[in-house]
Amino acid sequence: MTQTEPAWWTTSVVYQVYPRSFADSDGDGIGDLAGITGRLDYLHELGIDVLWLSPIYPSPQDDNGYDISDYQDVDPLFGTLTDLDELIAQAHERGIKVVMDLVVNHTSDEHPWFVESRSSVDSPKRDWYWWRPARPGTTPGEPGAEPTNWGSFFSGPAWEHDEASGEYYLHLFSRKQPDLNWENPEVRQAIHQMMRWWLDRGVDGFRMDVINMISKELPLRDGVVPTAEGDGVVPAGSVHGDGGPYYLCGPRIHEFLAEMHAEVVAGHADTLLTVGEMPGVTVEEAQLFTDPERHEVDMVFQFEHVGVDHGAGKWDVVPLRLTALKESLGRWQEGLAKAGWNSLYWNNHDQPRVVSRFGDDGEHRVRSAKLLGTVLHLHRGTPYVYQGEELGMTNAPFATHEDFRDIESVNHYRSAVELGADPQHVLAGLRRMGRDNARTPMQWDASPNAGFTAGTPWIGVNPNHVEVNAEAAVADPDSVFHHYRRLIELRRTEPAVAHGDFTMLLEDDPVVYAFLRRLGDVELLTVANFSGDPVRPAVPRYDEWLGAELLLGNVADSSGPELAPWEARVHRRTVTG
Ligand code: NOJ
């Protein structure tokens, strides 16, 4: 890539499919590959360039496929390798690239590598995972005997005692997701080989799951036990420490990613997309990860802006402060302006629905969903749309804790209640932040199971599908769907959207989100009212902008100096000097 030829993904929009919840073709209640293939025309109409598939590999499904037992096959739940080849071929025919989820911080405990590793302390694969003896002076298997005090992301300790050998293995996620030991060169080679196999099969890149956790600082040691009411990883009252400082962006992370690039991506770099999911990554680290000169990854998923409503941990939801959101996203825009690249997202399979979170999912659902899309897509970076976001799908009305399926929510509920938390309070947190909000079935139409399945869906369908569904949205030119379609098109037709400089305005304004984009003599102003009351934006010389072209808006016949509730506008003008 040269400076005059920006990478293809700078003008692209990625659409994420969570296969389990997208479209079920065989009536077993679980989405599948043939179901996705059957909906490619819908995605083509939306105009997306890339399809990212959450994991479809063989898996015991402890974490819905993020626990992989075979990296080079398809789980029968989702179909066969032939179905996948067909999906890729059909996507390519429509000009859509396919990016696979790459989950290599950990495998399933049922992966043959781990089964072998566990079989004996002398196994040639013993060192492929993190095996450690109990803490000196303790009894193996007793609470407190774990090699370090780290908590796991899914509640409880990050170490599991293996009775047969008396040792423990590390699992930052569930006990069925043992962490791979990337210090071992054989592990890295096996993964590189597997990645090359997928590229040869025709996939167009990888979304790399928690990839900034693969390098651990040695020797492994205890983390600080939080004094506050838990920190998201560690539940309230927990005895577990935070190992984050020792496994987030550890000492060899840049080396491992550069090696992966050299071994797998180099030679195809111009046609592929690589995006690293990186909890806790700072903008300074992201500059290094995404600087094209360093050949690591094209872009990263950072988490700051989806943490602005966390209080003492993710389950303790605090009201959105728009100034904090702007401060964060604005700093990332600035930080990656010269080298590197942002990924832009509100939603994915781990986040609650953005219209319920930062918008208004009641009276102003349609308008606020369009506003959120507008603000995100007008930033500099590659936007990601998560299935149903383009319909303004909302959080689900989970009645009791038994309606949740996600291991994180189920474990958190059990462990917090065991520790004495009020069940109603815990349930309130799950309703707001639980990952299942994103995982209810895609709403295709108004029929009883929303057109998702002819069988019984694996998780409840949101009853609002009678109103919020793809069939209705495609038929309505004023829908959220068509607004997203226009946003995606705008990125291709208006170069300032993809390539313009970014300047945040009104940083201290508590309700208006406003920013400029500038490329050559073209200037774009995005201005958005994050409130249910009309507001006159304090944008400098806004009256001059009112005479400029209105590229896009979400309120019909709006032209005055006042923004209606949840109104967003994108103005365009040419300037000299
Ligand atoms: C991040 C994924 O997005 C999430 O769904 C999963 O539970 C963890 N990584 C573990 O793989």
Side-chain angles (χ1 to χ4, degrees), residues 348-553:
N348 59 41
H349 63 291
D350 295 331
Q351 300 292 332
R353 294 281 178 181
V354 71
V355 71
S356 300
R357 185 180 194 179
F358 296 157
D360 170 358
D361 64 5
E363 183 188 353
H364 297 296
R365 184 187 66 83
V366 168
R367 207 189 276 174
S368 66
K370 291 179 184 175
L371 170 144
L372 287 159
T374 306
V375 167
L376 191 77
H377 284 239
L378 265 292
H379 278 70
R380 188 164 185 272
T382 299
Y384 287 71
V385 179
Y386 177 68
Q387 64 185 44
E389 181 184 336
E390 77 282 10
L391 305 175
M393 273 178 64
T394 65
N395 281 353
F398 296 110
T400 77
H401 71 277
E402 287 174 357
D403 291 343
F404 290 88
R405 300 283 173 273
D406 172 26
I407 183 170
E408 181 192 42
S409 294
V410 170
N411 286 1
H412 169 65
Y413 183 86
R414 196 188 42 231
S415 106
V417 170
E418 262 169 31
L419 285 165
D422 169 10
Q424 283 310 315
H425 181 74
V426 181
L427 188 57
L430 294 188
R431 286 199 183 106
R432 298 284 297 275
M433 296 305 281
R435 307 194 297 181
D436 282 336
N437 283 301
R439 300 175 181 187
T440 60
M442 177 73 177
Q443 295 169 199
W444 294 106
D445 60 36
S447 68
N449 286 327
F452 164 69
T453 181
T456 306
W458 69 276
I459 186 170
V461 170
N462 192 322
N464 71 7
H465 72 277
V466 292
E467 182 204 340
V468 183
N469 65 68
E471 191 178 56
V474 170
D476 172 6
D478 283 334
S479 65
V480 181
F481 176 88
H482 286 291
H483 192 83
Y484 267 74
R485 190 179 53 68
R486 286 189 275 273
L487 284 168
I488 293 167
E489 197 179 317
L490 191 60
R491 177 161 291 269
R492 283 197 209 99
T493 53
E494 175 54 71
V497 174
H499 307 300
D501 291 346
F502 179 99
T503 308
M504 188 69 86
L505 304 175
L506 312 183
E507 279 108 329
D508 300 326
D509 192 306
V511 292
V512 177
Y513 200 127
F515 54 91
L516 294 171
R517 304 293 310 279
R518 172 88 187 254
L519 184 70
D521 60 0
V522 172
E523 196 169 39
L524 307 178
L525 169 70
T526 300
V527 60
N529 175 9
F530 272 71
S531 85
D533 299 312
V535 67
R536 190 179 275 255
V539 170
R541 298 167 47 186
Y542 187 52
D543 47 334
E544 289 176 17
W545 279 102
L546 290 174
E549 181 187 355
L550 184 64
L551 267 187
L552 201 74

Side-chain angles (χ1 to χ4, degrees), residues 49-62:
D49 306 274
V50 182
L51 179 60
W52 150 29
L53 286 183
S54 277
I56 45 74
Y57 313 98
S59 161
Q61 303 290 325
D62 191 51

Side-chain angles (χ1 to χ4, degrees), residues 254-276:
H254 293 286
E255 175 198 336
F256 291 161
L257 288 180
E259 180 188 53
M260 182 191 278
H261 190 284
E263 293 293 323
V264 178
V265 176
H268 315 261
D270 291 350
T271 58
L272 301 184
L273 170 71
T274 56
V275 49

